[in-house]
Amino acid sequence: MHLHKYEKIWLIFGMGSLALFLLIIGFAAFWKGTHPQSHIETIDPQNVEAHESFKPENLGLREVADGKYTVNIVASAFNYDFGVDEDGKSVKKIRVPKGSTVLFQITTKDVIHGFQVAGTNVNMMVEPGHVSRLETVMKNAGEFTVVCNEYCGIGHHQMFATVEVYED
Ligand SMILES: [Cu+2]
C-alpha cells in the first residue's frame, strides 16, 4: 500500500496527538489526583435547606473525626455560603491543618458555578440539582484561593474565598 508523504505526516501527527493527550489525562488522573466530582446525588435547587448537609447551621467547616473534616457550601450568584461565625459574620476563610482529609460538599441554588481551590486538585463544577463532592488530602501548607471558574453572571469575579492549610 502506498501512502502519500503528507498522509504519513498527518497520520503520525494525529496518532502522536492522541498519545500525548492520553498521557496528559493519565498524569492528571493518577499523579495529580484530578477526577470528576460525584454526580450521583440529586437535590432540589429551590430548597437546598431540606438537605441535612446544607441546612444553614451545618454550613462551613466541621471536624468529623481526628484529622478528618467536612466543608459544606451553598453557592449562589455571587457568593459561596460557608455559614456564619460566632459574631454572625459570613465565613470567607476556612483553616485546616496540613495533612488533613477534607471532604468538600457543594451545591448551587441558581446557575452553574465552579469551585476550584487553586493549587490543589479540588476543581468541581457545581450544577443546580446536584451535589458535588470531592475528598482530598491537604498535603501542602499555604493559603489557597477558592475561585468560581464557570462564568455565572455579572458578579462572577466576586465569588471567592480562602482555604488556609497550616503547619500542625
Ligand atoms: Cu462564577
Side-chain angles (χ1 to χ4, degrees):
M1 188 176 74
H2 174 75
L3 282 179
H4 192 273
K5 183 178 143 206
Y6 289 133
E7 205 166 357
K8 269 190 206 155
I9 291 171
W10 282 107
L11 271 175
I12 290 166
F13 178 75
M15 288 190 282
S17 310
L18 189 64
L20 178 70
F21 295 152
L22 285 173
L23 270 175
I24 292 170
I25 291 173
F27 173 73
F30 299 109
W31 185 255
K32 296 298 241 179
T34 308
H35 57 84
Q37 66 273 25
S38 130
H39 264 151
I40 297 160
E41 192 176 344
T42 55
I43 186 170
D44 178 5
Q46 314 283 351
N47 191 18
V48 296
E49 291 86 1
H51 191 293
E52 189 60 31
S53 301
F54 302 112
K55 288 195 190 324
E57 64 271 24
N58 291 339
L59 293 180
L61 180 73
R62 229 172 345 146
E63 187 166 11
V64 288
D66 200 27
K68 276 199 111 177
Y69 296 84
T70 299
V71 187
N72 297 330
I73 311 126
V74 173
S76 61
F78 305 99
N79 182 46
Y80 290 119
D81 193 348
F82 286 85
V84 289
D85 61 16
E86 306 86 64
D87 307 322
K89 283 219 220 124
S90 316
V91 175
K92 282 287 152 242
K93 182 176 186 172
I94 58 161
R95 298 180 77 243
V96 290
K98 187 178 158 182
S100 56
T101 304
V102 184
L103 169 69
F104 291 93
Q105 305 192 107
I106 181 163
T107 192
T108 165
K109 289 183 183 176
D110 41 45
V111 296
I112 294 175
H113 295 283
F115 185 83
Q116 179 177 14
V117 186
T120 73
N121 67 334
V122 181
N123 186 358
M124 296 191 275
M125 197 178 196
V126 189
E127 292 168 83
H130 290 276
V131 177
S132 296
R133 281 203 181 89
L134 199 100
E135 193 177 71
T136 193
V137 178
M138 291 301 190
K139 291 183 205 128
N140 301 312
E143 283 216 357
F144 302 93
T145 304
V146 178
V147 288
C148 177
N149 56 14
E150 296 281 344
Y151 183 72
C152 54
I154 197 100
H156 170 62
H157 61 285
Q158 289 160 6
M159 285 187 76
F160 61 87
T162 311
V163 174
E164 188 189 334
V165 182
Y166 59 91
E167 296 276 357
D168 205 11

